[in-house]
């Protein structure tokens, strides 16, 4: 089960980083971003270091607030956040047509919440690809607790350079993960390479929508807040993602921004105007209490120095995500289902 206690959060901050070095890691991470003088090119060149630092610093916060699956979902009225997240994962499995015996790859798998759910739902073997050692350690422990060590496993590797032979997997998916790639085309080409001919890849991508105006200062501020709060080199447009998928060689079966028709806004759990007991830790009151708790734990040295700064940039990310959702300039669920042709032209 996910770590949910205050001490779990405190001891987890920093991941595999030495606790005495957490604060300096925060400073190094912040310097990659616009608010601290960083730029997009530097983030792309150093994406592996930036993303690894981000997840070492933030994974315990995510697990404390979200559980084992670190992603958003479209939501029906009367449906809880947890229910919507599971349905979002099941939707991917159904779109891919997963069946018993298939070998599946989860690209950028986090601590493995979705891969465990999809493995149980579809009776398939799922390999999680992740370049963060701390998340893999947590994922292996959670696989053991769930009794899934024979059907779920992790590989530590960069999704820009996958350690698999060509044509290895029967299906591949990515949930809000390939947004960390410095180059979408390069990432999609690697996915194409390791997918068997005739098989499918499905993903939920973080994207700027057609409503985003790169000359609008408010829009640029929101984009920068999401980038620093979520470890992103850049946020691509839906058109850029779709063009990259086609250039990689995939045939597009269908694509859509699933946020558009969601009866309940995807960003509602983070909206300070919303209150929910079922997702209390994500509400304004819950986040305030978490922030206060982190400050206290850092003060009494149960949490490493720098923990409050991590909490702060995650709070800034939440504000950016809500503003981006309200203005409809950002989506965390641009969906596409694509196929690798049986024969390459």
């Amino acid at each position: 089960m996910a770590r949910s206690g205050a001490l779990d959060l405190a001891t987890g901050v920093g991941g595999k980083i030495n606790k005495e070095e957490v604060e300096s890691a925060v400073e190094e991470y912040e310097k990659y971003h616009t608010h601290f003088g960083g730029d997009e090119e530097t983030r792309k060149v150093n994406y592996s270091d930036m993303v690894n630092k981000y997840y070492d610093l933030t994974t315990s916060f995510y697990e404390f607030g979200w559980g084992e699956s670190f992603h958003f979902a479209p939501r029906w009225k009367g449906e809880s956040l947890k229910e919507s997240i599971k349905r979002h994962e099941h939707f991917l499995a159904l779109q891919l047509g997963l069946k018993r015996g298939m070998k599946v790859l989860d690209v950028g798998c986090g601590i493995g919440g979705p891969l465990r759910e999809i493995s149980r739902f579809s009776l398939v073997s799922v390999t999680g690809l992740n370049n963060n050692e701390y998340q893999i350690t947590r994922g292996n422990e959670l696989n053991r607790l769930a009794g899934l060590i024979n059907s779920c496993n992790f590989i530590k590797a960069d999704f820009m350079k996958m350690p698999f032979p060509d044509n290895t997997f029967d299906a591949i998916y990515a949930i809000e993960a390939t947004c960390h790639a410095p180059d979408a085309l390069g990432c999609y080409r690697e996915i194409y390479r390791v997918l068997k001919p005739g098989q499918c890849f499905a993903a939920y991508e973080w994207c700027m929508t057609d409503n985003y105006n790169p000359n609008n200062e408010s829009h640029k501020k929101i984009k920068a807040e999401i980038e620093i709060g979520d470890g992103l080199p850049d946020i691509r447009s839906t058109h850029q993602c779709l063009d990259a998928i086609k250039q990689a060689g995939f045939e597009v079966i269908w694509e859509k921004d699933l946020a558009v028709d969601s009866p309940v806004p995807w960003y509602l759990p983070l909206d300070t105007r919303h209150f929910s007991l079922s997702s209390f830790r994500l509400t304004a009151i819950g986040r305030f209490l978490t922030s206060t708790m982190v400050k206290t734990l850092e003060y009494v040295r149960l949490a490493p120095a720098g923990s409050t700064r991590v909490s702060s940039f995650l709070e800034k990310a939440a504000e950016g995500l809500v503003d981006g959702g309200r203005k409809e300039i950002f989506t965390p669920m641009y969906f596409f289902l694509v196929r690798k042709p049986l024969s390459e032209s």
Side-chain angles (χ1 to χ4, degrees):
M1 60 183 294
R3 289 176 173 171
S4 57
L7 287 178
D8 291 321
L9 171 60
T11 57
V13 175
K16 291 290 185 179
I17 299 171
N18 186 296
K19 300 308 176 186
E20 287 74 34
E21 298 174 358
V22 168
E23 190 162 31
S24 63
V26 174
E27 291 175 0
E28 291 170 17
Y29 172 77
E30 289 175 335
K31 287 177 182 177
Y32 283 124
H33 293 276
T34 305
H35 288 308
F36 296 88
D39 59 75
E40 179 185 328
E41 187 57 33
T42 301
R43 291 194 295 275
K44 286 183 175 180
V45 170
N46 298 282
Y47 75 93
S48 183
D49 179 68
M50 181 189 71
V51 174
N52 257 300
K53 279 188 171 66
Y54 175 77
Y55 280 114
D56 273 330
L57 294 169
T58 64
T59 293
S60 64
F61 283 92
Y62 275 116
E63 204 171 347
F64 182 77
W66 286 91
E68 296 178 25
S69 293
F70 306 161
H71 63 83
F72 293 99
R75 195 163 154 194
W76 297 102
K77 291 181 179 178
E79 185 178 44
S80 70
L81 175 62
K82 187 175 181 179
E83 289 168 341
S84 71
I85 284 173
K86 282 193 173 187
R87 180 174 52 78
H88 205 42
E89 294 164 358
H90 295 173
F91 177 81
L92 266 188
L94 292 169
Q95 288 296 309
L96 286 167
L98 300 187
K99 297 179 178 63
R100 182 193 289 271
M102 292 177 74
K103 187 176 181 181
V104 182
L105 178 66
D106 180 332
V107 178
C109 61
I111 61 172
L115 71 81
R116 283 184 290 277
E117 185 63 33
I118 286 172
S119 177
R120 286 183 292 235
F121 180 73
S122 302
L123 303 177
V124 293
S125 296
V126 186
T127 294
L129 186 74
N130 192 326
N131 206 24
N132 183 268
E133 185 179 348
Y134 176 66
Q135 287 198 334
I136 288 177
T137 299
R138 283 294 297 138
N140 279 325
E141 175 64 10
L142 292 167
N143 282 356
R144 185 187 65 79
L145 292 171
L148 293 171
I149 56 174
N150 293 322
S151 58
C152 297
N153 70 295
F154 296 92
I155 298 291
K156 186 182 185 304
D158 184 342
F159 52 40
M160 302 298 292
K161 297 169 284 190
M162 296 189 198
F164 306 116
D166 295 357
N167 309 323
T168 296
F169 294 97
D170 300 301
I172 301 177
Y173 66 86
I175 301 178
E176 302 181 21
T178 47
C179 51
H180 291 294
D183 168 31
L185 178 56
C187 181
Y188 295 155
R189 278 177 171 161
E190 270 296 271
I191 291 169
Y192 184 96
R193 181 183 67 79
V194 302
L195 181 64
K196 292 179 181 177
Q199 302 306 306
C200 291
F201 166 49
Y204 299 128
E205 280 284 8
W206 280 34
C207 293
M208 306 312 292
T209 71
D210 289 344
N211 295 319
Y212 174 71
N213 179 356
N215 298 314
N216 182 305
E217 290 302 318
S218 173
H219 288 193
K220 287 164 65 177
K221 179 175 178 289
I222 289 168
K223 181 173 179 282
E225 287 174 346
I226 296 172
E227 287 167 350
I228 187 172
D230 295 283
L232 305 179
D234 185 27
I235 308 176
R236 293 173 277 271
S237 71
T238 55
H239 296 293
Q240 287 173 318
C241 282
L242 187 59
D243 287 346
I245 274 289
K246 292 176 180 177
Q247 288 179 49
F250 286 105
E251 300 170 343
V252 178
I253 299 172
W254 73 284
E255 49 83 25
K256 183 181 180 180
D257 178 4
L258 299 183
V260 172
D261 296 326
S262 179
V264 177
W266 60 266
Y267 55 84
L268 191 68
L270 299 177
D271 194 332
T272 55
R273 299 176 299 186
H274 171 71
F275 181 80
S276 169
L277 285 174
S278 64
S279 53
F280 175 74
R281 288 177 177 175
L282 299 176
T283 64
I285 298 173
R287 298 203 318 255
F288 172 77
L289 291 174
T290 298
S291 176
T292 303
M293 177 188 69
V294 170
K295 287 178 184 176
T296 303
L297 291 170
E298 184 173 336
Y299 180 76
V300 298
R301 299 187 179 182
L302 287 175
S307 298
T308 302
R309 288 168 67 177
V310 177
S311 178
S312 178
F313 70 63
L314 287 174
E315 181 61 28
K316 186 61 66 177
E319 293 171 5
L321 288 165
V322 171
D323 287 343
R326 281 185 191 150
K327 294 178 185 293
E328 298 182 347
I329 64 172
F330 168 81
T331 177
M333 54 192 72
Y334 175 58
F335 170 80
F336 53 76
L337 177 66
V338 299
R339 180 188 294 113
K340 180 175 179 177
L342 276 169
S343 59
E344 298 184 40
S345 56

